[in-house]
Amino acid sequence: MISSVLVKILSIVLLIAVGIVLILGIGTLFKGGSTSKKYSNKLMQLRVLLQFIAIVVLVGFAYFFKN
């Protein structure tokens, strides 16, 4: 019971984190100027890292809680 709630909460938190970084990265990209040069690529790299973590965690959950 507790594990299923924890899985759902952690999954939602990871997906929201990826979405927030994606929106920030796109916003910075369209802003242009020195801010875009400084942060846009770093935010997109962070997004890829968060996506990797989210996929590994979700696949791990699917493997360990397949019942």
Side-chain angles (χ1 to χ4, degrees):
M1 177 71 175
I2 293 175
S3 63
S4 68
V5 172
L6 182 64
V7 167
K8 289 176 185 176
I9 291 173
L10 188 58
S11 300
I12 291 170
V13 167
L14 285 170
L15 294 175
I16 288 172
V18 170
I20 288 172
V21 172
L22 174 64
I23 291 169
L24 288 173
I26 291 173
T28 305
L29 180 70
F30 285 119
K31 196 173 195 180
S34 63
T35 304
S36 178
K37 288 180 183 177
K38 188 173 183 181
Y39 295 113
S40 181
N41 193 30
K42 290 181 183 179
L43 283 169
M44 288 301 141
Q45 290 173 354
L46 179 61
R47 177 189 55 86
V48 170
L49 177 65
L50 283 174
Q51 282 179 322
F52 174 75
I53 292 169
I55 289 170
V56 168
V57 169
L58 292 174
V59 168
F61 286 156
Y63 180 75
F64 288 113
F65 298 108
K66 43 183 156 175
N67 57 359

